[in-house]
Structures are given as structure tokens and as C-alpha cells.
Amino acid sequence: MEWITFLILGSVAGVLSGLFGIGGGLVIVPILVYMFTAQGISPEILTHLAVGTSLATIVFTSINSVMAHHKHGAVRWPAVAMLSLGIVGGSVLGGYTASFLSGEVLQRVIGVFAIVIAVQMFFQLKPSGREEKPVGRVFLGGSGIFIGWASAIFGIGGGSLTVPLLSWRGFPMKIAVATSAACGLPIALSGSASFIWFGMQAQGLPEWSLGYVYLPALIGIGATSMFFARFGAKLAHRLDQVLLKRLFSMLLLIVGINFLL
């Protein structure tokens, strides 16, 4: 039954990722928290386990997404390279930071972030369009550190942070989304690696865990999320995006408030 649940979760996360252009982490982390709670896993480690597992699953969806965007020539690889230099260090720092937070505090941090994203999605808040300007290496590297750090703590691929940043710097939206998707891979790789490393000595982890990554969930979610991300992308062209985003934002708002209570 557990495997079926993970396969379904991967399907849902993949569809939502394709529909809204956000990483599945915003869906995967809360559901894994609820599932691990039901399994009786210690409250002190279950949120860390959910975040680490989420980051590991994003490796699968990122590869699929990067290949699709690269095929259309939409990825600005020089920007990806500069951002990634900061992202790798920031992701490791984020995993290190999370290892010092209690499970309750980490849930509250994720809850606040979910509420912020819910408000952004509901009101369609976006940076105003501007002429694209050259972006310095120091700016991208420094931004990458923050994006990697925050993404590792929240268990996300960083799209909700990278896309607004690049859009604010004048990147066309399609280019910003594609470049952000490419940045999701180093976030997922370095972030999940740090959660594995910092979780190796954790007490009370369930069987089949590799640090703070729960392997059955990783395999089950990864097996379906890649396929259903494509399905979600197709649906995005047929359904009312504004209505869908507002409905999803209400779900995120409920999840965020629940994490804070």
C-alpha cells in the first residue's frame, strides 16, 4: 500500500509541476510529512526526511525538464553556470542549517514559505517587465548561494525563487523558466547529497533510509513524476491557468496554516 501511495504522489506532483511550472517539492514535502507522521516516525526527524527525499526526487524531474527546454534552445547556459557555482555551496549550507533546526521549527519555516507562495500565485504577483541587461557573475553567484540555501531548507527545486529573479533582471519569461529548470538539477543533487550526509548519524530513521532520504519514496515518486510532468504540461495548454493557480494556492494556504498551528 505504501508503494502505491508513493506512485500516486509522484503522479500528482508531476502533473502539478507541469501545470504550474513549480517544483513538485511544494506538494511532496507536506504529503510526506503527513505520511511519515502516520507511520509513527519521530517528529524530530520526519520533516528532515521529507525535505531530503523531496530534493532527491527533483533530480528525476529536473533531468526530464532540462532536456525538454534545451531542445527548444531556451536555456541560458552561461547564467546556469554562474548561478550553479553559488547554488552548490548554498545547498550544502542549507542542508547544514536544516540539520540544526528541530522538526517543529523546520515545519513552521516551510509553512511560512507555502503561505508566501500561495499569496503570490493567487494574486499573480510578478516582476514588472524590463529591458534585459547584462548580469554580472558576482550577482549571479551571490544569488545562487541564497537560492541554493533556501531551496535545500524548503525541499524545492528553486523555480519559485529563480524565475522571479531572472524575470526582474529582464530575462523573457520563457527563458527565465527554462534557465531556472536547468538550475534545479544542481540544487537537487547538492541538496539531497547534503541531507544524506547530515542525516547519516540521525537516530530513529526508518529502514531503507539513506541519511535523510527515504529510498522507497524516492523510487516510487521518481518512477511516475517524470512521465506525468509531461502530461501536466499538455494540460496547461487546455485548462484555465488563472483558476487552477488560485485553487492550488488555496490548497497551499491550508497546508501552510496547518504547518504553523
Side-chain angles (χ1 to χ4, degrees):
M1 186 64 186
E2 184 183 72
W3 281 99
I4 294 175
T5 304
F6 291 141
L7 290 170
I8 294 173
L9 175 55
S11 303
V12 173
V15 170
L16 292 175
S17 177
L19 268 175
F20 304 122
I22 61 170
L26 283 171
V27 179
I28 293 171
V29 172
I31 294 180
L32 286 181
V33 166
Y34 299 139
M35 289 183 64
F36 293 155
T37 301
Q39 291 177 22
I41 297 174
S42 169
E44 277 301 304
I45 63 169
L46 66 85
T47 307
H48 298 77
L49 194 64
V51 171
T53 304
S54 172
L55 287 166
T57 64
I58 293 171
V59 173
F60 292 93
T61 53
S62 290
I63 292 173
N64 195 44
S65 179
V66 171
M67 291 176 63
H69 285 299
H70 178 69
K71 182 182 289 187
H72 291 88
V75 180
R76 293 281 176 83
W77 288 108
V80 172
M82 289 300 102
L83 280 166
S84 296
L85 288 176
I87 281 171
V88 172
S91 297
V92 174
L93 181 61
Y96 183 69
T97 303
S99 70
F100 282 96
L101 299 177
S102 68
E104 181 180 354
V105 170
L106 187 57
Q107 279 197 31
R108 291 181 182 277
V109 170
I110 295 172
V112 170
F113 181 73
I115 291 172
V116 170
I117 297 301
V119 172
Q120 184 272 328
M121 290 186 72
F122 188 89
F123 292 104
Q124 297 286 291
L125 303 176
K126 298 178 182 178
S128 58
R130 59 188 291 182
E131 183 181 350
E132 184 175 354
K133 298 180 180 179
V135 184
R137 295 181 179 182
V138 174
F139 174 82
L140 287 177
S143 299
I145 292 174
F146 173 75
I147 291 170
W149 175 79
S151 298
I153 291 176
F154 302 137
I156 61 174
S160 53
L161 302 171
T162 312
V163 171
L165 171 76
L166 295 178
S167 211
W168 173 65
R169 295 302 299 176
F171 282 59
M173 185 54 67
K174 289 184 178 180
I175 300 297
V177 169
T179 303
S180 171
C183 291
L185 185 55
I187 287 173
L189 286 171
S190 55
S192 57
S194 67
F195 270 80
I196 290 172
W197 175 260
F198 294 120
M200 292 300 285
Q201 304 302 321
Q203 301 296 314
L205 288 171
E207 191 177 5
W208 301 108
S209 293
L210 182 61
Y212 286 130
V213 173
Y214 188 48
L215 297 179
L218 170 62
I219 295 170
I221 295 170
T224 53
S225 60
M226 292 179 70
F227 171 77
F228 279 91
R230 297 180 181 178
F231 177 67
K234 292 181 180 179
L235 283 180
H237 297 286
R238 301 178 183 179
L239 303 176
D240 185 341
Q241 283 287 287
V242 174
L243 175 61
L244 285 171
K245 286 190 175 185
R246 286 182 173 167
L247 291 174
F248 184 57
S249 69
M250 295 301 294
L251 174 62
L252 279 181
L253 183 63
I254 292 171
V255 169
I257 292 174
N258 185 52
F259 271 24
L260 293 177
L261 296 179

